[in-house]
Amino acid sequence: MKIESVQVDLLRVPPPGAYMAGGRKVTGYWHVLARVRTTGGIEGFGYIVALQESMVRAVAVAARELAAGLVGIDVLDHERAWAALEHAGNWVGPGGLLHYAISPLDIAMWDAAGKTLGQPLYRLLGGYTDRLPVYASDGFWYNLTPAQLAQSARDRVAEGFTAVKLRIGHERSPDAEVERVRAVRDAVGPEVRILVDATETWDLPTAMRTGTALQEAGIHWLEDPVAHQDVAGMARLSEHLQVPIATGEHLYQASDFARLIEARGTSIALIDLGRIGGITPWMRVAGLAQSFGMRVCGHVLPEVHAHLAPAVPNGYLIEYVPRSASILKAMPAIEAGCLVAPRGPGLGLELDEAAVRAFQVPL
């Protein structure tokens, strides 16, 4: 089946409440939504999500312009299509805005391919398993008190989660960061895994001191402790600590991951679908990490990573941040602390068309 037409729209999904991310107020869950339609009448969709209005229209316009290059390509020719899109925009790439513009198109194409073949995406991508443990990542912001974090953790565990992730990196001392972790530990007991994300806020000496204290407090992993460009610092920290270092969500190229992995700057590679440019290059990075015996996790978009991470032998955990729940008929199910890949063909997801229309904004 060949691609007959592509549609790209911009949506603003209201967030559940006011909060800060990356030091900035979240203005909405901005979706660049792509729909790929084949000559056989099958439609696949994909999207990326941004937390700021800045530049998101540029991404949507770029995706709409690139989409013309997909018309006439077989919906199963993923590598050919990705190469064509990258070539069309290589003067502003690689990486950056170009990859964000390619990503929704690539995801939509994979969804359409699965629907064409009548198979769920996790099986097309390898079918290693159909589920992985999931961790709750919403509701644990750095501006909450230890008591508020503890209550949020209790709520998530009551919903079936067996792991939670806290945002840290804004306290004045290691002891204050440890206090936040211990408040959650006291609230949920010894069996729940506690992950922490420092969001690149520390220099290396601070990361060494605070990482050691958090390790002793029993965290499961330490995410983004220093700037992602500081590969040497990440490697020193990985050697210094026993707790795993998780990083990579800010990287755009497989070659960036190669440098990080070869330097042993991480033991868990986090891959962001938008920055890497969609499912096609996501799988390349997962294979690269596997060759080094390294585990991989996706960054946000759990409804898509419910297929990607379980498909590969080195898939580890799935981050649960349901920023697109309002435009979907249903999110993937959580069973016994695991996110289960939908059984339907492709992504196995269905858009709530009324919500899509309600949240659509002009380009």
Side-chain angles (χ1 to χ4, degrees), residues 204-248:
L204 183 58
T206 303
M208 290 281 195
R209 291 191 301 272
T210 311
T212 300
L214 291 168
Q215 176 176 275
E216 293 172 357
I219 61 170
H220 185 71
W221 84 26
L222 175 58
E223 181 175 335
D224 287 342
V226 297
H228 63 275
Q229 300 96 330
D230 187 6
V231 175
M234 207 79 74
R236 286 184 59 191
L237 193 60
S238 294
E239 185 178 14
H240 177 74
L241 298 176
Q242 284 76 53
V243 68
I245 302 298
T247 193

Side-chain angles (χ1 to χ4, degrees), residues 99-159:
H99 281 197
Y100 271 112
I102 292 174
S103 185
L105 301 172
D106 183 76
I107 297 169
M109 192 170 168
W110 275 101
D111 186 36
K115 290 171 179 173
T116 297
L117 298 175
Q119 293 293 327
L121 193 54
Y122 76 90
R123 294 192 66 189
L124 293 186
L125 296 174
Y128 186 77
T129 183
D130 66 349
R131 65 195 65 203
L132 278 179
V134 63
Y135 63 90
S137 190
D138 258 1
F140 298 98
W141 314 115
Y142 60 81
N143 57 331
L144 299 182
T145 67
Q148 290 171 323
L149 288 173
Q151 185 57 54
S152 187
R154 290 189 197 97
D155 294 341
R156 298 293 86 77
V157 170
E159 293 167 2

Side-chain angles (χ1 to χ4, degrees), residues 23-331:
R24 293 182 291 181
K25 182 180 178 181
V26 173
T27 63
Y29 294 154
W30 296 86
H31 288 62
V32 177
L33 170 66
R35 304 177 195 243
V36 166
R37 191 168 184 84
T38 72
T39 51
I42 289 173
E43 182 177 280
F45 69 88
Y47 48 75
I48 57 101
V49 184
L51 303 184
Q52 304 293 325
E53 184 177 5
S54 174
M55 297 296 292
V56 72
R57 282 183 171 81
V59 172
V61 170
R64 183 175 284 181
E65 184 173 338
L66 288 171
L70 289 180
V71 175
I73 293 180
D74 193 292
V75 76
L76 301 182
D77 292 346
H78 307 287
E79 290 287 357
R80 177 189 169 199
W82 204 93
L85 295 174
E86 183 187 39
H87 179 73
N90 62 5
W91 72 278
V92 293
L97 184 149
L98 176 60
H99 281 197
Y100 271 112
I102 292 174
S103 185
L105 301 172
D106 183 76
I107 297 169
M109 192 170 168
W110 275 101
D111 186 36
K115 290 171 179 173
T116 297
L117 298 175
Q119 293 293 327
L121 193 54
Y122 76 90
R123 294 192 66 189
L124 293 186
L125 296 174
Y128 186 77
T129 183
D130 66 349
R131 65 195 65 203
L132 278 179
V134 63
Y135 63 90
S137 190
D138 258 1
F140 298 98
W141 314 115
Y142 60 81
N143 57 331
L144 299 182
T145 67
Q148 290 171 323
L149 288 173
Q151 185 57 54
S152 187
R154 290 189 197 97
D155 294 341
R156 298 293 86 77
V157 170
E159 293 167 2
F161 291 94
T162 57
V164 298
K165 186 173 81 173
L166 317 183
R167 304 309 190 281
I168 60 170
H170 295 267
E171 298 293 338
R172 293 184 177 180
S173 70
D175 287 345
E177 300 286 14
V178 167
E179 180 186 357
R180 299 170 73 78
V181 172
R182 286 184 174 156
V184 172
R185 175 61 69 209
D186 291 343
V188 299
E191 301 303 319
V192 174
R193 288 183 279 193
I194 300 176
L195 294 61
V196 297
D197 182 355
T199 62
E200 302 193 1
T201 51
W202 296 328
D203 58 19
L204 183 58
T206 303
M208 290 281 195
R209 291 191 301 272
T210 311
T212 300
L214 291 168
Q215 176 176 275
E216 293 172 357
I219 61 170
H220 185 71
W221 84 26
L222 175 58
E223 181 175 335
D224 287 342
V226 297
H228 63 275
Q229 300 96 330
D230 187 6
V231 175
M234 207 79 74
R236 286 184 59 191
L237 193 60
S238 294
E239 185 178 14
H240 177 74
L241 298 176
Q242 284 76 53
V243 68
I245 302 298
T247 193
E249 68 184 64
H250 291 94
L251 303 183
Y252 286 87
Q253 295 281 85
S255 56
D256 296 331
F257 277 95
R259 284 188 287 271
L260 177 68
I261 292 169
E262 288 171 354
R264 295 294 174 180
T266 186
S267 51
I268 300 170
L270 305 180
I271 315 172
D272 183 274
L273 264 170
R275 290 189 177 97
I276 206 64
I279 292 171
T280 302
W282 196 102
M283 295 299 293
R284 298 175 196 155
V285 174
L288 171 67
Q290 184 185 355
S291 69
F292 281 82
M294 187 170 295
R295 296 168 290 186
V296 297
C297 299
H299 176 239
V300 302
L301 288 181
E303 61 272 27
V304 181
H305 286 115
H307 289 279
L308 274 60
V312 297
N314 53 329
Y316 185 44
L317 294 173
I318 299 174
E319 181 175 26
Y320 196 80
V321 275
R323 292 170 180 163
S324 306
S326 296
I327 65 168
L328 297 173
K329 291 289 184 68
M331 289 286 290

